Amino acid sequence: MAWHLSILVMVTTCLILFSIGEQSSQSELLQQLRKQLEYPRQLDAWGSPSSDPCYTKPTAVLAVTCEGNAIRELKIIGDRITKPPKFSGFSVPNVTLSEAFVLDSFVTTLTRLTTLRVAILVSLGLWGPLPDKIHRLSSLEVLDLSSNFLYGSIPPKLSVMSKLHTMTLDGNYFNESVPDWLDLFSNLTVLRLQSNQLKGSIPASIGKAAMLTELALAGNSISGDVPNLGSLNKLEMLDLRDNELDGELPEMPTSVVTILLSKNSLK
């Protein structure tokens, strides 16, 4: 009997220590992100050595939601909103994060928060090409990296994120074509790629992204015809303003409530 009791005590102790260690590890990752973001004032609440980000009072610019020891939501809204007249892909003093910032390292740290469902990292001065490895956030449902300085192409491996339903990349500098693999998403309902530098045509494959309810591509340099979107029977909002689209507008699904097309050359 005493032997069984000893085993029970040992197992219980190990579980408690594991739980404490896991919680500490998650908090350490958040502190590492704070350092990589170069200590923005929005994260001053994490400055105390005894502070636990999971118990930080949520505000309009900062929220961390935890379930037990698992971090489910991370929202940080920065104040780096200035956009230079021309961005060449390098650090801009007092606008982006410094030359020492490495986006690949930041994303590596972020992907270690394996239970994350919501990642909202807006106006933080992040700069560089978005690494493919962000797809390792396999539990992610909402990704918002708007108003930063991300450029290059949108990583194709994002399409393997089967739980992702909202992707917002507005106000960056992505300068390749609109992705032609959006139909590979199984649950994507909201896609916002506004105010980037996307070029080329809208791929026909976007008409197969059957779950889309909102598609916003305004403020780019997208040209050519609008492809057939008739099979998007859940689409409610389409925003294609301020591009270089021409040709005739195809038939739209009957579900659409709002269509915005100004500043194009449509017939």
Side-chain angles (χ1 to χ4, degrees), residues 117-131:
R117 292 176 184 165
V118 177
I120 301 173
L121 304 167
V122 174
S123 300
L124 293 171
L126 306 176
W127 65 276
L130 185 62

Side-chain angles (χ1 to χ4, degrees), residues 71-77 110 113 115-122 134 137-146 158 161-169 185 187-192:
I71 297 175
R72 301 298 190 189
E73 177 180 343
L74 176 61
K75 180 180 79 170
I76 309 172
I77 309 294
L110 187 68
L113 298 172
T115 57
L116 206 58
R117 292 176 184 165
V118 177
I120 301 173
L121 304 167
V122 174
I134 197 166
L137 288 167
S138 57
S139 298
L140 208 62
E141 299 171 7
V142 176
L143 175 64
D144 186 350
L145 299 175
S146 55
L158 283 171
M161 301 171 75
S162 59
K163 296 181 180 179
L164 193 68
H165 61 71
T166 299
M167 182 165 69
T168 304
L169 301 174
F185 279 107
N187 288 301
L188 192 67
T189 58
V190 176
L191 176 65
R192 301 189 188 102

Side-chain angles (χ1 to χ4, degrees), residues 41-86:
R41 62 175 183 81
Q42 289 80 2
L43 302 185
D44 286 349
W46 298 355
S48 170
S50 59
S51 66
D52 185 344
C54 281
Y55 294 96
T56 303
K57 184 179 179 180
T59 67
V61 298
L62 175 63
V64 180
T65 302
C66 304
E67 293 178 10
N69 298 322
I71 297 175
R72 301 298 190 189
E73 177 180 343
L74 176 61
K75 180 180 79 170
I76 309 172
I77 309 294
D79 53 9
R80 293 178 181 265
I81 57 176
T82 302
K83 293 290 184 180
K86 188 174 182 181

Side-chain angles (χ1 to χ4, degrees), residues 165-180:
H165 61 71
T166 299
M167 182 165 69
T168 304
L169 301 174
D170 294 344
N172 281 285
Y173 292 84
F174 290 108
N175 54 3
E176 298 293 332
S177 57
V178 178
D180 62 356

Side-chain angles (χ1 to χ4, degrees), residues 97-136:
L97 293 173
S98 72
E99 290 183 4
F101 174 75
V102 180
L103 184 59
D104 190 81
S105 299
F106 175 80
V107 171
T108 297
T109 304
L110 187 68
T111 57
R112 292 174 65 189
L113 298 172
T114 55
T115 57
L116 206 58
R117 292 176 184 165
V118 177
I120 301 173
L121 304 167
V122 174
S123 300
L124 293 171
L126 306 176
W127 65 276
L130 185 62
D132 258 346
K133 67 180 66 175
I134 197 166
H135 82 278
R136 296 176 188 172

Side-chain angles (χ1 to χ4, degrees), residues 231-249:
S231 60
L232 299 182
N233 54 21
K234 295 186 178 182
L235 191 68
E236 297 177 358
M237 198 283 284
L238 176 66
D239 188 354
L240 301 177
R241 291 172 296 168
D242 197 12
N243 277 291
E244 300 168 12
L245 297 166
D246 53 29
E248 296 182 359
L249 196 65

